[in-house]
Amino acid sequence: MALTRDQIAMRVAQEIQDGYYVNLGIGIPTLVANYVPEDMDVMLQSENGLLGMGEFPTEETIDPDLINAGKQTVTAVTGAAYFSSAESFAMIRGGHVDLTVLGAFEVDQEGSIASWMIPGKLVKGMGGAMDLVAGAENIIVTMTHANKHGVSKILKKCTLPLTGANCIKRVITELAFMEIKNGAFHLLERAPGVSVEEIQALTEADLVVNGDIPEMTF
């Protein structure tokens, strides 16, 4: 069966290593904060100027003045730091973020990502995604495999305005964990109970399948 949003976040959390500085984008990526192992030394960065985000707050721990880039209330871990947006983006542009997790409307087999606008619809702004894809070497995209009409969002070439070109390396959807290399998506893992054939049917891009593809574990 397809993964839930929280299960996607749980799988992303497995890619985080001890000592990492990690930027979490808006949407599914923000949920990753709830699944970082307690014994791991990781600092989560929000581009609005918080380094050291913790789990989402309970009613007892909520602080309305403490928010992430998506304007959701968050908590701060011991050792957290607050700074200006300018300093936050200096950290991003300077390549000081070890892992960036972003949402997307589309990704393609050239490693390009479209995540900031759909022509004809309300655009709130491009946010920090363009800086993140330009300044980060290690990017994971979390997204749905297809739109609500069943049309693939894993493409040979993006159709929407790009956030960045040739910058994405890994994608986790509700169906699959894939790596982009040599001009194609390579299937690494599949959601429990989801067949390779189901993934292929919803993937417009070239999809390489080598051997038996294991199911994701949590």
Side-chain angles (χ1 to χ4, degrees), residues 96-123:
H96 303 295
V97 175
D98 298 297
L99 173 66
T100 294
V101 187
L102 295 172
F105 297 135
E106 297 175 344
V107 292
D108 69 28
Q109 63 195 41
E110 297 174 2
S112 299
I113 175 175
S115 67
W116 72 280
M117 75 168 296
I118 297 176
K121 292 193 176 183
L122 176 66
V123 180

Side-chain angles (χ1 to χ4, degrees), residues 17-172:
Q17 297 181 27
D18 199 50
Y20 263 19
Y21 290 89
V22 182
N23 180 281
L24 301 179
I26 297 170
I28 295 174
T30 61
L31 299 174
V32 175
N34 292 337
Y35 301 106
V36 176
E38 291 184 4
D39 61 347
M40 190 174 285
D41 182 18
V42 173
M43 294 297 274
L44 302 179
Q45 191 240 22
S46 180
E47 61 238 42
N48 61 325
L50 169 60
L51 179 64
M53 284 190 297
E55 298 179 354
F56 282 114
T58 62
E59 288 187 9
E60 292 74 27
T61 61
I62 193 167
D63 179 349
D65 292 325
L66 193 57
I67 61 172
N68 62 19
K71 298 180 175 59
Q72 298 168 304
T73 52
V74 294
T75 59
V77 301
T78 300
Y82 308 92
F83 36 84
S84 71
S85 179
E87 289 176 297
S88 178
F89 278 93
M91 179 179 178
I92 292 167
R93 294 167 181 167
H96 303 295
V97 175
D98 298 297
L99 173 66
T100 294
V101 187
L102 295 172
F105 297 135
E106 297 175 344
V107 292
D108 69 28
Q109 63 195 41
E110 297 174 2
S112 299
I113 175 175
S115 67
W116 72 280
M117 75 168 296
I118 297 176
K121 292 193 176 183
L122 176 66
V123 180
K124 295 181 180 180
M126 63 185 67
M130 290 185 178
D131 289 276
L132 288 164
V133 298
E137 292 291 327
N138 188 8
I139 302 169
I140 296 177
V141 171
T142 63
M143 61 186 295
T144 55
H145 212 94
N147 66 21
K148 61 183 178 181
H149 304 294
V151 178
S152 180
K153 294 159 63 175
I154 311 297
L155 307 174
K156 292 180 183 294
K157 194 168 185 64
C158 287
T159 62
L160 295 173
L162 294 184
T163 306
N166 310 116
C167 55
I168 305 304
K169 293 183 172 64
R170 290 175 290 173
V171 178
I172 300 178

